[in-house]
């Protein structure tokens, strides 16, 4: 089962990549909902930092849409349920005390990326586990947009292609990562399981 593998990896080394976390059908349905919301103009430029976040596209060029009941279509609700199952399974095995999840769609326009960072805010340590699910069809190496991820005590990052259906998850306070500039629109669903 996927959850068992994820739990084992989160215990050590604290991160994992799961190709085919979503089937091609689930991914396509979620991509459609993401693209429909994007076409309706619901996304806004992502900010840097917490609270009145500043938009600084040279650091972070994506646009996001936070997901709530008004936004979530059937495919989105299905993945919310799947992630809820993962949250409960992780809590039972690892005692991380994950209390809730905040989720957004992200769309990187061509030319944009996200410079090297950690996901936990200095002023707010609730974000505990990052989950990213990619929604892109036929992503090619030439499309750029790799997730560069630094496993602990490793000078060179590994590169993960944002292939549709792939899940990346990691402990939010421990791993530096960045998004290389994408040469075509790059879509994902990204979220954080939080402690209270
Ligand atoms: C983020 C982030 C990585 C990715 O949204 O904080 O680092 O591969 N995303 O989309
Ligand atoms: Mn991040």
């Amino acid at each position: 089962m996927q959850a068992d593998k994820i739990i084992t990896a989160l215990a050590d080394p604290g991160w994992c990549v799961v190709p085919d976390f979503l089937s091609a059908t689930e991914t396509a349905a979620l991509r459609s909902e993401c693209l429909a919301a994007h076409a309706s103009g619901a996304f806004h430029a992502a900010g840097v930092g917490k609270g009145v976040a500043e938009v600084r596209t040279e650091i972070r060029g994506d646009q996001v849409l936070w997901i709530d009941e008004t936004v979530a279509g059937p495919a989105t609700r299905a993945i919310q349920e799947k992630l809820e199952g993962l949250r409960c399974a992780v809590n039972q095995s690892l005692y991380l005390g994950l209390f809730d999840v905040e989720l957004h769609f992200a769309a990187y326009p061509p030319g944009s990326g996200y410079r090297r960072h950690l996901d936990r805010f200095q002023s707010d340590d609730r974000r505990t586990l990052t989950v990213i699910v990619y929604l892109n069809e036929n992503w090619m190496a030439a499309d750029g947009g790799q997730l560069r991820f630094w496993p602990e005590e490793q000078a060179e990052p590994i590169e993960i292609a944002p292939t549709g259906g792939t899940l990346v998850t990691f402990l939010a306070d421990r791993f530096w990562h960045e998004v290389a500039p994408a040469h075509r629109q790059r879509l994902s669903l990204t979220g954080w399981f939080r402690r209270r």
Side-chain angles (χ1 to χ4, degrees):
M1 202 186 118
Q2 282 176 330
D4 294 336
K5 278 197 193 167
I6 294 169
I7 286 162
T8 304
L10 289 176
D12 183 36
W15 62 278
C16 70
V17 179
V18 184
D20 301 317
F21 178 72
L22 297 185
S23 70
T25 311
E26 289 171 316
T27 306
L30 199 53
R31 178 170 58 244
S32 296
E33 290 182 6
C34 177
L35 285 171
H38 193 264
S40 79
F43 283 50
H44 61 271
V48 176
K50 177 123 184 107
V52 211
E54 227 188 315
V55 174
R56 293 185 58 188
T57 52
E58 77 284 8
I59 296 178
R60 168 171 198 188
D62 58 330
Q63 297 155 2
V64 301
L65 173 63
W66 289 100
I67 292 170
D68 62 22
E69 317 77 60
T70 65
V71 168
T76 305
R77 285 199 297 274
I79 180 137
Q80 284 178 301
E81 274 177 35
K82 190 159 176 164
L83 292 175
E84 178 62 12
L86 182 62
R87 183 182 75 82
C88 294
V90 167
N91 274 344
Q92 276 175 18
S93 303
L94 299 179
Y95 310 106
L96 288 179
L98 306 177
F99 172 69
D100 68 0
V101 67
E102 47 177 4
L103 282 178
H104 66 52
F105 286 123
Y108 287 76
S112 64
Y114 191 163
R115 285 219 208 128
R116 195 171 186 267
H117 65 280
L118 294 171
D119 279 354
R120 183 175 279 182
F121 298 116
Q122 276 168 0
S123 60
D124 179 345
D125 65 1
R126 287 178 298 167
R127 284 183 173 182
T128 302
L129 187 63
T130 301
V131 285
I132 307 166
V133 182
Y134 298 113
L135 304 180
N136 305 295
E137 199 171 16
N138 295 326
W139 195 268
M140 303 289 178
D143 296 327
Q146 308 89 335
L147 172 64
R148 296 203 185 104
F149 182 90
W150 279 263
E152 273 176 327
E153 286 145 28
Q154 190 170 312
E156 292 302 316
I158 59 163
E159 295 202 335
I160 300 156
T163 301
T166 296
L167 168 82
V168 181
T169 181
F170 51 89
L171 297 173
D173 60 333
R174 283 198 7 210
F175 298 96
W176 291 89
H177 56 283
E178 71 182 15
V179 178
H183 308 308
R184 57 178 260 217
Q185 185 185 52
R186 178 192 192 273
L187 303 175
S188 60
L189 178 80
T190 302
W192 293 274
F193 290 113
R194 300 186 299 189
R195 293 191 180 119
R196 256 185 217 274

